[in-house]
Amino acid sequence: MSAMTPGSTSSVRWEKELEEEGGGGGLERPLLRGRGTNTTSQMAVVGANVCPIESLDYEIVENDAYKQDWRSRGRIQVFHYQILKWVLALLVGLIIGLIGFFSNIAVENIAGFKLLLMSNLMLQSRYNLAFLWHISCNAVLAAAAAALCAYIGPAAAGSGIPEVKAYLNGVDAPSILAPSTLFVKIFGSIFGVSAGFVMGKEGPMVHTGACVASLLGQGGSSKYGLTWNWLRYFKNDLDRRDLVTCGAAAGVTGAFRSPVGGVLFALEEATSWWRNALLWRTFSTTAVAAIVLRSLIEYCRSGNCGLFGKGGLIMFDVSSQVTSSYTAMDLPSVVLLAILGGLLGALFNLLLDRLLRVYSRINEKGAPCKIVLTVAVSLVTSCCSFGLPWLTACTPCPPEMAAIGRCPTIGRSGNFKNFRCPPGHYNGMASLFLNTNDDAIRNLFSGGTGGEFGVSTLVAFFAAVYSLSLVTYGVAVPAGLFIPMILSGASFGRLLGRLLCALTGLDTGLFALLGAASFLGGTMRMTVSVCVILLELTNDLLLLPLIMLVLLISKMVADCFNRGVYDQLMRMKGLPYLEAHGEPCMRSLVAGDVVSGPLITFSSVERVGVVVDTLRRTGHNGFPVIEDDPFGPAPELCGLVLRSHLLVLLQAKAFTAHPVKTGAAEVFRKLAPFDFAKPGSGKGLAVDDLDITEEEMAMYVDLHPIANRSPYTVVENMSLAKAAALFRELGLRHMCVVPRTPGMQPVVGILTRHDFMPEYIRGLFLNIMDP
């Protein structure tokens, strides 16, 4: 065992500065000064809960158990493994298609029944009772969603995209993909959207897809007694990661019915590793989800699904409503819209950062406070959605709409809500607020209705939705940001289209679509995937150049101020996400600068008591194994052993009375290769579960069979930026740092994900400066 002090390697960058005092001579001084201790925490906020986090291990552990496993597989087992990958991918698409359909039916029927009864009360001039029904229904639904999150699945709060993105980067946290999280994600989002919150179920659908894929890939949940042994081949983080990627892409498809957009979302935003084989499987998953949704929606259009209207998946056949023709003279207006959308998107991210810090203090006080906060936001939302239409003047119906009976709309979804207006009139604000969010977006995107919503209506609706989006995200409810941003952007775009109608010939519905694109680009900083999602929703390729232009400009403008909302949320939650490129300060350091001690190692044949005591005293998950006397002429690195493998070996009691090599054959007489596979969700084997006597403590255990004989290593003077790139690209959990000169200890230290975090590095070197 050896101890390491941070900053032990001389690698600091020197900076020349002019010394004006004492003669003005040049002076070189070290830029970095090591503090010597690390006070950063390995805790993070997952959903609405603070919990410890660990790293996933995407590296193949090439120990004797792994080699024995592959040697024991015949052609049938290998074929079974390959086929199972495709079967599970297609099964994920099928399940997500069904969940997406169920969520839309539930929201349309719950919200539709609520709004229909309120409309009937309004027609009877029972306004007070209508308001009481509206506000009480929303409060009950909001309280139900918050109670599910607070008591059953705290990890389900929020959109879940930051957590899924961190998981696919190699971050593991308790319950992030658990069955309880899946249950709350589905029903909590249904209750939350039905409660009239300015939120969407699109972000939660991504998290739902990841949960479904994880449960299938790990063979169920041992915690709830649901396990399938035939899925034992997937008992590793690498295969689960690929399946969770397919699930996240299917979630986007289930939300927007956009299969190609789902694949591009996984590629652009969600996953940190990609390859061609995964592309085919992901596309197959999203295709199945899209087919299932299409089939079930066509069935529901025949009136077999209750109040389920024309879909509920945002919008359909928008191309038939939006006039997509444009000229070069319209480009200045589009550019202006993109710039303003980028600015407002960046402002949204800034304000959301401030507000979530306030909410976190409230949520820390316990479940009752989470529920009270959610109900309070629900009351504010209900007052806005009912009060603002009350303050809005009625507008005469367009003659062509009145002639065909489409204005006003009574007892069904549509653009022209009556809301206490005289016959032949409608209330524009009610058409936006007293609808589901999907129907409101469909109304804003409608083409050929330039005068339907007045300027004052659009200003009030945009201000209300923009503000309510801020105060809603952060409560203990599964809530997505896609729909709030589309709503805000569509209303702002339509408003700008009304104001610039004298300068451009673009339809206000097209302005609304481009406004939604600008807000999505300004907040989420996604370009390719959002562009394809919008194209698949509108089914109009003529809009491609304008959407691309708006997304690029809005992203460029917003990047000048802050980061994308999901990157910002990951940083706020404390999730240790490894970026594709290292921080600038890493170029000034080498690997040996950030390793910290004491370094704990095991001998290749170690006393059982030493192993057990070490596992009880530390929470480390990887230990270097040193081959020393009498098994080697000089100490050398034999491999790396995982904590989970040590526990399995100790539980099997493959001990000897004397320090001798037993070999793999002795171990596999008591254990099978699958015994070392990673367990599913639920409690795994812990050191307290071991039953080892005092006599056994004095015995020895051979670590050769379970040690990874070829761990990834770097020399201590390798650039930290290069080490970080290697660590991320290979999906490692541990990286051994070895000395550059012979004759020293065989291992200098171990680098983990935490050692590459900028906060940790700046904590070690207080005066570090980025070049």
Side-chain angles (χ1 to χ4, degrees), residues 216-238:
L216 286 178
Q218 69 188 9
S221 172
S222 58
K223 179 179 179 181
Y224 297 96
L226 301 173
T227 55
W228 306 291
N229 291 329
W230 57 279
L231 292 178
R232 61 185 183 274
Y233 293 114
F234 283 79
K235 295 282 189 177
N236 61 83
D237 291 330
L238 185 63

Side-chain angles (χ1 to χ4, degrees), residues 579-591:
E579 300 288 351
H581 304 285
E583 293 287 330
C585 62
M586 292 183 182
R587 292 195 289 268
S588 309
L589 299 166
V590 297

Side-chain angles (χ1 to χ4, degrees), residues 479-512:
L481 283 173
F482 271 98
I483 290 301
M485 289 303 97
I486 293 177
L487 263 178
S488 301
S491 58
F492 180 77
R494 197 173 181 99
L495 171 62
L496 198 62
R498 289 292 306 271
L499 297 176
L500 300 179
C501 59
L503 303 177
T504 178
L506 293 179
D507 189 89
T508 52
L510 179 56
F511 259 106

